[in-house]
Amino acid sequence: MPSTPPDPRRPDPGLGVFETLLARDSRIQALGRHLDRLAASVAALYDASLPDSLAEELRRRADAPGERRLRVDLVPSPSGNGLHTRIRSSVLPGDRHGAVACRPLRIAGGLGAHKWVDRRLIEASGEVTALIVDHDDELLEAAFANVFVLAGRRLTTPPADGRLLAGVMRGVLLEAAPRLGLEPVQAPLSLACARAADAILLTSSLRHAVPAALTGARPPASELAARIRRELAGRHWE
């Protein structure tokens, strides 16, 4: 833990990290990938390991019909002695696949590669979803998702260079894109490129893929998002 107070403009590591997983009919999507990412964060931030029983406890919480949201929080003890674990399970709404309106939010250096519990910078942006850009208008990610920009068949997402959280569904889509006739690319993206793109898509574990548009832009490509969503929804159930 840092010995000096955290910069109030940055996420506070002392509030912990979390992971959100999708459960369906007692199975969890990409459980191993989620746990690997969470393990990497707690090792890097707190020099700690995940509880040995975490995977089994998540499976127990997922043992129910229908779709559920699982959230696991890992928070460092105030005494510096280990991590506190909290798991929550809730029923998912059925209307989570609609188009998303986005507005740029400039955060120099991005939020980094961890899924912070401290989301004050993002939540302060209001009801419109924040589309995080670096100081030079380089596009990084959205408040709850990774960003993909379509130009022709080329589907581009910003590289996982430490300034953004590389989502599990981001990785799955990079693998699955050729099956959909798309060319997946990891490369820097400007806000101008996003404005001129054929489509903007957001990917996350709970929504899979949804269309997005910058405020004032043309309507998003909902048909493409639905095709991608069907592909992602069928993969990596454990």
Side-chain angles (χ1 to χ4, degrees), residues 136-220:
D136 55 359
D137 277 354
E138 186 177 346
L139 181 60
L140 298 176
E141 60 183 323
F144 69 87
N146 287 115
V147 179
F148 285 81
V149 167
L150 182 71
R153 292 180 55 253
R154 187 179 175 94
L155 187 65
T156 303
T157 192
D161 59 5
R163 292 179 294 167
L164 59 89
L165 178 72
V168 169
M169 283 300 115
R170 172 187 180 276
V172 175
L173 179 51
L174 287 170
E175 297 168 2
R179 289 172 54 100
L180 296 163
L182 301 171
E183 177 190 353
V185 176
Q186 299 181 68
L189 279 170
S190 68
L191 192 56
C193 286
R195 293 188 188 279
D198 296 327
I200 301 172
L201 301 166
L202 305 182
T203 60
S204 69
S205 293
L206 298 184
R207 304 193 194 194
H208 289 127
V210 294
L214 288 156
T215 51
R218 61 180 178 274

Side-chain angles (χ1 to χ4, degrees), residues 1 14 42 46-49 51 74-85:
M1 296 293 297
V42 300
Y46 313 117
D47 192 24
S49 301
L74 290 170
V75 182
S77 167
S79 65
N81 183 24
L83 298 171
H84 294 303
T85 304

Side-chain angles (χ1 to χ4, degrees), residues 1-111:
M1 296 293 297
S3 57
T4 57
D7 185 331
R9 295 169 298 176
R10 308 298 303 172
D12 180 358
L15 297 181
V17 291
F18 75 102
E19 196 74 16
T20 304
L21 306 90
L22 176 64
R24 179 188 296 159
D25 297 331
S26 303
R27 300 173 72 194
I28 301 174
Q29 190 171 31
L31 174 60
R33 296 190 185 203
H34 281 287
L35 292 181
D36 286 348
R37 186 174 70 173
L38 189 57
S41 286
V42 300
L45 294 169
Y46 313 117
D47 192 24
S49 301
L50 298 183
D52 292 338
S53 61
L54 182 55
E56 187 57 36
E57 180 63 18
L58 284 167
R59 290 189 181 97
R60 188 182 72 79
R61 297 293 186 96
D63 189 14
E67 290 191 326
R68 302 192 70 81
R69 175 184 187 263
L70 300 176
R71 171 169 167 153
V72 54
D73 289 60
L74 290 170
V75 182
S77 167
S79 65
N81 183 24
L83 298 171
H84 294 303
T85 304
R86 180 184 182 188
I87 299 175
R88 286 171 280 179
S89 174
S90 57
V91 177
L92 277 171
D95 60 350
R96 64 187 188 277
H97 297 138
V100 176
C102 297
R103 178 171 54 213
L105 173 65
R106 186 167 286 102
I107 301 176
L111 290 175

